[in-house]
Amino acid sequence: QVQLVESGGGLVQAGGSLRLSCAASGRTFGSYTVGWFRQAPGKEREFVAGISWYGATTYYADSVKGRFSISRDNAKNTWYLQMNSLKPEDTAVYYCAAPGSSYTSIQAMGPSNMAYWGQGTQVTVSS
């Protein structure tokens, strides 16, 4: 059984930083594009960042470019989201996710294409 477990969320002041982790088990995701999504209250779940299978390519939503950084450690079957210069509008539940097939195009990393989801971790940014 595949499990994705996020950690690292919390409450931070505007301008602060957090680092989220997603530890996967039940399947090796080394050959998968993986990513992060978020959902704010009353809004749809949205793509935040994605990283290709060997980490050669990353892709970000315009709203987080230059502030967030995605990385992965295939030896640990884990990926990360470093969030800097956080803003109140970044407040949301953050989810890690992976598609059902390996070698998925990073441009295809929409919520409807994800097969595996973590339980979510709350990130709250106070002003």
Side-chain angles (χ1 to χ4, degrees), residues 71-91:
S71 61
R72 66 189 299 164
D73 184 340
N74 286 344
K76 295 181 179 179
N77 213 23
T78 299
W79 53 100
Y80 308 93
L81 185 67
Q82 177 67 43
M83 305 185 293
N84 298 328
S85 302
L86 282 161
K87 304 175 181 180
E89 51 263 45
D90 294 319
T91 295

Side-chain angles (χ1 to χ4, degrees), residues 37-40 44-46 48 63-64 68 90 92-94:
F37 295 77
R38 67 186 181 185
Q39 188 165 18
E44 293 187 353
R45 193 168 299 188
E46 63 176 1
V48 175
S63 58
V64 306
F68 290 12
D90 294 319
V93 177
Y94 283 71

Side-chain angles (χ1 to χ4, degrees), residues 84-109:
N84 298 328
S85 302
L86 282 161
K87 304 175 181 180
E89 51 263 45
D90 294 319
T91 295
V93 177
Y94 283 71
Y95 300 89
C96 61
S101 301
S102 56
Y103 305 116
T104 297
S105 166
I106 201 167
Q107 284 75 23
M109 291 287 287

